[in-house]
């Protein structure tokens, strides 16, 4: 059984070697590693070619810069494996990740999705996600899986802590030109999975960097988190109406996060336009927010604060609201908060 490992590469020459090494040293050896050089301007293209000469399982594709989603889609297009895995070129797989997956796939022949636990690495510090009580949890009920993705920080909407049967991508691609591209995509893939195994074993090491869009100040691209969660909420209402409060809560998380970044940004025509846009979007969902009794009060308070004085909102968000939401919500996209 072949695993196609897809690694988009863009100007990560300092971390690329370690990311590739984490794949090559896997205990389970049946894989191909597809490096998609997405128009890098540093030495990443040369490093990719050198690495490919060291192991015949490495394939390199060069394309002009189109973004993470386009690179992943290209990897899916050329992959020949039974299953697909994804890794960012500044992260690492655990040595046992593929072996543990292989064991699960042998036990469950009809497995279509495998979800690994992960930790977050801050320099020399590793913070593992909370483990499930069961080592392996088998899920065949779609409602159960969707609810778990929203509510478990060790599952979440990330692309890279999951291994997918190739058939799941027959009609699904990553939205190109977007960040937070994995929110709707993960939902769609999970909805189509007939049997999922969720393991508490850590299989992926997510290396946090302060120099990313999601961890920096406001930019127009950051507003993608709101447009993507709007789409997610719309799909959830249609597919799983009994879980629609989870979609609304995630949409509210996105509004609160965007609002905070806007409150931190310098005042200019650009940011003022996005503040007006955010207020318009909040009004669109005001009735849903007011009427949904399953939404925790602190989310509703956060939205109410957003509609008032921005400096007051900023200080309250820092002092209490951010801590409250991260401590009590799903944490499915906690990198955005």
């Amino acid at each position: 059984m072949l695993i196609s490992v897809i690694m988009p590469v863009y100007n990560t020459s300092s971390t690329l070697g370690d990311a590739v090494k984490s794949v090559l040293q896997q205990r389970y050896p049946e894989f191909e590693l597809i490096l998609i050089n997405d128009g890098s301007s540093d030495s990443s293209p040369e490093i990719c070619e050198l690495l490919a000469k060291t192991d015949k399982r490495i394939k390199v594709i060069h394309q002009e810069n189109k973004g993470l989603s386009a690179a992943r889609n290209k990897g899916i297009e050329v992959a020949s494996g039974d299953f697909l895995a994804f890794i960012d070129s500044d992260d690492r797989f655990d040595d046992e990740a593929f072996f543990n997956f292989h064991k699960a796939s042998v036990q469950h022949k009809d497995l279509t999705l495998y979800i690994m636990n992960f930790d977050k690495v801050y320099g020399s510090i590793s913070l593992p996600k909370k483990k499930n009580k069961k080592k392996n949890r088998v899920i065949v009920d779609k409602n159960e899986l969707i609810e778990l993705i929203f509510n478990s920080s060790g599952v979440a909407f990330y692309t890279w802590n999951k291994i997918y049967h190739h058939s799941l991508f027959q009609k699904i691609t990553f939205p190109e030109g977007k960040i937070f591209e994995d929110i709707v995509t993960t939902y769609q893939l999970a909805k189509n999975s007939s049997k999922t195994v969720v393991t508490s074993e850590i299989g992926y090491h997510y290396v946090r960097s302060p120099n990313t869009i999601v961890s920096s100040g406001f930019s127009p691209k950051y507003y993608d988190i709101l447009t993507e969660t709007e789409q997610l909420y719309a799909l959830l209402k249609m597919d799983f109406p009994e879980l629609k409060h989870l979609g609304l809560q995630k949409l509210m998380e996105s509004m609160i996060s965007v609002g905070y970044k806007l409150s931190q940004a310098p005042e200019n025509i650009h940011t003022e336009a996005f503040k007006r846009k955010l207020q318009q979007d909040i009004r669109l969902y005001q009735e849903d927010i007011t009427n949904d009794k399953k939404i925790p009060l602190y989310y509703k308070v956060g939205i109410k604060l957003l509609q008032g004085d921005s400096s007051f909102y900023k200080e309250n968000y820092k002092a209490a609201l951010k801590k409250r939401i991260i401590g009590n919500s799903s944490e499915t996209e906690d990198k955005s908060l």
Side-chain angles (χ1 to χ4, degrees):
M1 182 184 62
L2 185 70
I3 304 172
S4 292
V5 185
I6 298 167
M7 183 188 298
V9 177
Y10 180 70
N11 290 350
T12 50
S13 57
S14 62
T15 61
L16 177 56
D18 286 340
V20 169
K21 181 181 178 182
S22 78
V23 178
L24 297 182
Q25 65 188 13
Q26 287 295 307
R27 185 175 169 189
Y28 179 77
E30 299 300 316
F31 61 81
E32 63 176 359
L33 173 57
I34 305 169
L35 304 178
I36 310 293
N37 168 44
D38 189 42
S40 296
S41 57
D42 65 356
S43 59
S44 294
E46 291 79 13
I47 295 173
C48 287
E49 292 294 342
L50 289 172
L51 289 168
K53 293 178 180 178
T54 69
D55 196 304
K56 64 181 180 180
R57 295 172 295 182
I58 300 178
K59 302 176 182 178
V60 181
I61 294 176
H62 300 281
Q63 64 180 29
E64 63 182 40
N65 181 244
K66 297 179 181 179
L68 177 62
S69 287
R72 285 176 174 169
N73 289 338
K74 183 63 177 179
I76 295 167
E77 179 187 327
V78 303
S80 54
D82 305 289
F83 285 84
L84 307 179
F86 298 86
I87 178 174
D88 291 348
S89 56
D90 51 359
D91 293 339
R92 301 186 300 273
F93 278 118
D94 189 82
D95 294 355
E96 299 290 311
F98 295 175
F99 182 74
N100 290 333
F101 158 74
H102 177 64
K103 287 192 299 182
S105 67
V106 169
Q107 185 177 0
H108 303 281
K109 299 292 186 183
D110 50 351
L111 175 67
T112 52
L113 180 61
Y114 178 78
I115 303 178
M116 303 172 282
N117 200 359
F118 63 93
D119 60 7
K120 293 189 176 184
V121 180
Y122 301 79
S124 60
I125 300 174
S126 172
L127 299 177
K129 286 296 179 180
K130 185 178 180 180
K131 290 190 174 184
N132 299 316
K133 293 181 180 180
K134 294 182 179 179
K135 186 175 182 180
N136 282 345
R137 177 176 176 181
V138 181
I139 300 175
V140 295
D141 180 77
K142 294 181 186 297
N143 288 57
E144 182 183 356
L145 179 58
I146 296 301
E147 191 169 6
L148 189 66
I149 287 174
F150 275 94
N151 289 331
S152 173
S153 60
V155 177
F157 285 87
Y158 302 118
T159 297
W160 32 253
N161 68 323
K162 301 170 180 68
I163 299 178
Y164 314 80
H165 193 272
H166 69 90
S167 62
L168 293 178
F169 282 97
Q170 285 181 352
K171 296 182 180 180
I172 296 173
T173 57
F174 290 94
E176 299 188 11
K178 296 277 189 178
I179 63 171
F180 302 101
E181 70 293 325
D182 42 7
I183 293 176
V184 174
T185 307
T186 296
Y187 168 79
Q188 292 173 321
L189 293 166
K191 187 181 72 169
N192 291 339
S193 177
S194 57
K195 178 178 280 190
T196 302
V197 172
V198 182
T199 178
S200 63
E201 295 171 315
I202 291 176
Y204 194 92
H205 305 294
Y206 171 43
V207 182
R208 292 301 305 267
S209 169
N211 301 315
T212 62
I213 288 178
V214 293
S215 60
S216 58
F218 179 79
S219 74
K221 292 301 298 176
Y222 192 82
Y223 210 86
D224 284 353
I225 190 175
L226 203 152
T227 57
E228 290 299 293
T229 50
E230 278 187 305
Q231 185 181 350
L232 177 66
Y233 179 44
L235 290 170
L236 200 65
K237 285 195 295 183
M238 180 173 57
D239 298 332
F240 303 96
E242 67 279 12
L243 300 178
K244 66 180 182 179
H245 64 284
L246 297 176
L248 181 58
Q249 180 173 307
K250 188 161 183 62
L251 176 57
M252 292 168 70
E253 285 181 29
S254 300
M255 291 173 174
I256 290 168
S257 181
V258 168
Y260 177 67
K261 285 187 179 287
L262 280 169
S263 73
Q264 294 286 321
E267 291 188 12
N268 53 45
I269 296 176
H270 186 71
T271 55
E272 289 303 313
F274 273 101
K275 286 179 181 178
R276 289 193 297 272
K277 179 173 174 56
L278 178 59
Q279 295 299 328
Q280 291 169 357
D281 285 335
I282 290 173
R283 286 194 291 273
L284 285 174
Y285 298 97
Q286 189 62 65
E287 185 176 352
D288 287 6
I289 293 170
T290 301
N291 294 334
D292 198 319
K293 304 304 181 184
K294 293 183 179 181
I295 300 296
L297 178 61
Y298 44 85
Y299 281 94
K300 296 185 178 184
V301 170
I303 296 299
K304 197 70 177 177
L305 286 171
L306 263 180
Q307 297 171 304
D309 179 75
S310 61
S311 61
F312 182 76
Y313 167 75
K314 177 170 62 176
E315 292 307 314
N316 276 272
Y317 183 91
K318 287 167 63 177
L321 188 61
K322 180 178 179 181
K323 180 179 179 182
R324 179 77 176 179
I325 288 176
I326 290 180
N328 293 277
S329 75
S330 65
E331 291 190 60
T332 51
E333 200 68 33
D334 58 318
K335 64 181 181 180
S336 69
L337 289 170

